[in-house]
Amino acid sequence: LCCFLRQRDGAAILVAARRFPGSSEQSNAPIDVTVPIPACLQKARLRELLTDRAMPVIDGGVAARQLFVDLPVAVLVPT
């Protein structure tokens, strides 16, 4: 899992990507990790930009299993 945050002029975007999605899919390995959400996005409602799905923040993070249900990459933006 690789994640990065970009901030500029009060705006923020969080990008997360699975490193080897093909190998995990073939072995059906679970993704039991949580992507921590930085403080600048904690109070915002998050939306996954590529799929237009809402991403609930629970206990300061988003479950990777939920992030990557459709694609091996997720782009989170505040709404």
Side-chain angles (χ1 to χ4, degrees):
L1 181 64
C2 177
C3 301
F4 66 90
L5 174 74
R6 292 287 185 253
Q7 289 180 281
R8 184 173 182 186
D9 300 328
I13 185 170
L14 177 73
V15 177
R18 291 177 63 182
R19 285 187 52 205
F20 304 108
S23 62
S24 295
E25 290 167 6
Q26 290 173 357
S27 65
N28 293 322
I31 307 171
D32 294 330
V33 297
T34 300
V35 175
I37 301 300
C40 64
L41 292 175
Q42 283 284 331
K43 294 182 181 180
R45 287 182 161 164
L46 297 180
R47 178 175 63 92
E48 202 290 311
L49 188 64
L50 302 175
T51 62
D52 199 34
R53 289 187 303 120
M55 286 291 142
V57 177
I58 300 171
D59 295 328
V62 175
R65 180 180 305 279
Q66 190 172 17
L67 276 179
F68 304 124
V69 74
D70 295 311
L71 300 168
V73 64
V75 180
L76 299 180
V77 295
T79 59

